[in-house]
Amino acid sequence: RRSSDLDYRAEQTELFPIGVANARYDSEKASVKGIFVQDYYNLSPQVRLNAGARYDDYQVRDMKQQRLTADGLSPNLGLSFAMNEHFRLFAGYSSALRGRLTTNSFVLDNRSNAANLQAEQAHHRQIGAEYIAGAWHLNANLFDTLIEDAIGEFKRVYQNLGDVQNRGYDLKFSYHLTTVRLGGSVA
């Protein structure tokens, strides 16, 4: 089952004080173009592989007329093994590139971007298990996410603040009745 997608997003943020003589007009423009391809391969009746990639191209002209650009490939790979009709084990890796877009117009006049701002790159690894029997659905995951060059705000400047590591687990359960779904989760 192959899937692919093209997308384009354009943003423009403007700030113009109303009723203020000789007021300064501020604006930012940004766009991101992306292409995504994903496919699934049944290696055997029990083993399924999924592989894909996304390419993104970010272009920003901020309020200071700085041009911020970022582009790159974000691959993903996953493998699942069906132990039986109810129980499945899985593991996967994915990455994601994220550049800056526009600043919220409410803070546009007092925020800026660092001149050397780079896109952040996330790397996500997970292993897990899923159990489905009748109305019961249980899911458990262990995950490790590293965001390199994380973008954040420090002293009103968007900049790369360093790396962020997030490790943990999540457990989810649900029970499906005819018209109601009951569930809970912990992370």
Side-chain angles (χ1 to χ4, degrees):
R1 171 185 86 163
R2 178 176 292 160
S3 62
S4 60
D5 191 22
L6 291 170
D7 57 66
Y8 175 75
R9 177 177 173 179
E11 293 183 355
Q12 181 168 339
T13 303
E14 299 174 342
L15 177 65
F16 186 79
I18 297 173
V20 178
N22 300 320
R24 192 176 89 217
Y25 170 81
D26 294 321
S27 72
E28 290 188 339
K29 290 184 179 182
S31 69
V32 61
K33 295 173 225 128
I35 184 169
F36 172 75
V37 177
Q38 183 80 29
D39 207 348
Y40 299 85
Y41 308 92
N42 292 319
L43 303 179
S44 76
Q46 293 83 25
V47 180
R48 186 173 203 193
L49 176 74
N50 65 284
R54 180 177 177 84
Y55 178 80
D56 287 296
D57 181 15
Y58 287 84
Q59 303 289 324
V60 177
R61 183 188 50 78
D62 73 6
M63 188 177 72
K64 291 182 175 181
Q65 302 305 307
Q66 297 181 104
R67 294 217 177 268
L68 306 172
T69 62
D71 65 289
L73 192 65
S74 302
N76 70 73
L77 183 64
L79 187 66
S80 70
F81 178 71
M83 303 284 287
N84 58 45
E85 66 179 300
H86 302 292
F87 188 70
R88 177 177 75 96
L89 300 172
F90 55 87
Y93 167 82
S94 62
S95 65
L97 176 83
R98 186 176 73 100
R100 274 286 288 150
L101 289 171
T102 58
T103 304
N104 186 312
S105 61
F106 292 108
V107 295
L108 186 60
D109 60 339
N110 64 13
R111 300 294 191 280
S112 63
N113 295 304
N116 62 346
L117 184 66
Q118 302 294 314
E120 62 184 27
Q121 181 79 42
H123 304 277
H124 180 78
R125 295 163 190 85
Q126 75 174 30
I127 59 171
E130 180 178 57
Y131 178 78
I132 300 174
W136 287 100
H137 187 174
L138 307 168
N139 187 291
N141 289 290
L142 295 173
F143 62 85
D144 179 15
T145 302
L146 172 65
I147 303 173
E148 297 173 332
D149 297 321
I151 297 173
E153 182 186 335
F154 181 69
K155 295 186 177 181
R156 297 184 179 189
V157 177
Y158 293 102
Q159 53 192 290
N160 297 107
L161 299 176
D163 296 347
V164 175
Q165 181 102 41
N166 184 18
R167 293 181 176 145
Y169 65 90
D170 61 66
L171 304 169
K172 300 175 192 170
F173 74 91
S174 61
Y175 186 77
H176 301 259
L177 300 169
T178 305
T179 58
V180 177
R181 180 178 151 189
L182 304 171
S185 65
V186 63

